[in-house]
Amino acid sequence: MTSPRIDTALVERLIAAQFPDWAGLPVREVDSAGTDNAMFRLGDDLAVRLPKADWAAGQAEKEQRWLPHLAPHLPLPVPVPLGQGAPGEGYDRSWSVFAWLDGDDAHNAPLVDLAHTAVELGRFGRALRAVDATGGPASSRGGPVTGWEEGAMAPAVRALGADGSLDTELATAAWESVLRLPQWDGPPVWTHGDLLPGNLLGRDGRLGAVIDFGCLGVGDPAVDTMPAWTLLTADTRPLFREAAGVDDATWARGRGWALVWGVVTENHYRGKNPVLAEIARRSRTEALAEYASMG
């Protein structure tokens, strides 16, 4: 069976069938460069989130289960689940209704106070790691960074180098140094897994909330240091690192994440998703600048 188009009409039918108390509220699609889920605003106070990619199936159940467990321990607002929708109206996946969080994502409306952002994001990651991880699902980005890319790094380096947009010699040397890093040997801890600018909400230029926990899981905390390179600057990174409280090896693996995610993602999405490609380019550029400065 062919899945129906995910649009306002589908959301209206699903809400009417499963949450009649909210039937009739206006539905508006929320513009997003995200690849996993489609987002709609329902009335003034609600958000509807439907997985659109195959790999996003199961994210709704995970967020419904774990966000209420995590939220009381976190220093920033996160989505509050208000209802879990079931497959229906030809749509074959579970989906969610959340309380609407006001704000603009940090890509479309860049955060002005990066020093504040650095400290708040560092504290967020530290608080998340401190929550009991017993029974938590494995994060898709919680294992070794060298396992995530599945051999895509070298071809991506060659492809970006072919048009002169990447220093292939520097990128290869930097990646070889990542391959030599010691891996995480501590117990698994909670990670958000996707702290990109599009998943950070700001108000008046300051960080106000963290959204999209689709990659939530337990594993190596290094992935959650990526905002140091995707979002922050050389002078605000130390503030983030101090607030996050990560050791040298974790920080180095995080820089490795910024490098490989940036190179592989830019190569994959350039021409397809300019927002993600732009963020990825910044990530690998900032990471490579640090590698170069380290001699």
Side-chain angles (χ1 to χ4, degrees):
M1 180 177 65
T2 302
S3 296
R5 174 183 172 83
I6 301 177
D7 56 14
T8 56
L10 173 63
V11 175
E12 288 169 352
R13 295 196 306 271
L14 286 168
I15 292 295
Q18 300 185 32
F19 298 101
D21 287 349
W22 296 327
L25 291 175
V27 177
R28 291 160 284 171
E29 186 167 7
V30 178
D31 185 40
S32 170
T35 58
D36 288 12
N37 294 273
M39 180 77 76
F40 298 82
R41 191 165 184 177
L42 178 62
D44 293 328
D45 302 321
L46 303 171
V48 181
R49 193 161 181 260
L50 296 89
K52 62 182 179 180
D54 290 342
W55 62 80
Q59 290 185 3
E61 293 92 336
K62 179 171 61 176
E63 291 177 324
Q64 294 276 340
R65 166 67 179 87
W66 291 106
L67 277 172
H69 171 70
L70 296 169
H73 305 281
L74 301 178
L76 289 167
V78 298
V80 176
L82 298 179
Q84 180 172 330
E89 304 301 316
Y91 180 73
D92 61 357
R93 295 167 185 160
S94 297
W95 47 283
S96 290
V97 180
F98 293 99
W100 178 259
L101 284 170
D102 280 326
D104 299 304
D105 76 67
H107 180 268
N108 289 328
L111 299 169
V112 175
D113 192 342
L114 287 183
H116 171 267
T117 298
V119 173
E120 290 300 298
L121 265 184
R123 289 174 177 168
F124 177 87
R126 183 185 285 227
L128 185 58
R129 295 198 310 273
V131 181
D132 181 11
T134 301
S139 169
S140 59
R141 295 176 180 170
V145 60
T146 52
W148 171 83
E149 53 92 32
E150 295 183 338
M153 181 63 170
V157 168
R158 290 194 296 270
L160 292 176
D163 60 15
S165 62
L166 179 69
D167 182 335
T168 58
E169 184 175 346
L170 175 60
T172 299
W175 181 236
E176 288 175 351
S177 74
V178 174
L179 296 175
R180 295 191 294 268
L181 290 173
Q183 295 304 313
W184 175 252
D185 60 1
V189 296
W190 282 109
T191 66
H192 178 282
D194 202 22
L195 291 174
L196 298 178
N199 295 330
L200 306 174
L201 295 184
R203 299 188 71 179
D204 301 321
R206 290 166 68 91
L207 180 63
V210 177
I211 61 173
D212 192 345
F213 283 71
C215 290
L216 176 72
V218 302
D220 179 358
V223 68
D224 277 356
T225 66
M226 275 182 56
W229 299 276
T230 59
L231 178 68
L232 300 176
T233 55
D235 59 334
T236 55
R237 273 178 213 129
L239 298 174
F240 172 75
R241 182 175 179 181
E242 180 180 2
V246 297
D247 59 27
D248 290 347
T250 300
W251 187 255
R253 290 194 306 278
R255 186 171 51 236
W257 267 105
L259 170 65
V260 66
W261 180 86
V263 169
V264 172
T265 301
E266 181 187 2
N267 183 56
H268 181 74
Y269 282 112
R270 57 179 178 164
K272 303 176 186 176
N273 188 323
V275 171
L276 274 180
E278 178 186 343
I279 295 169
R281 184 180 182 90
R282 185 187 194 280
S283 181
R284 57 90 166 170
T285 298
E286 293 291 318
L288 284 174
E290 278 201 13
Y291 283 112
S293 71
M294 294 161 57

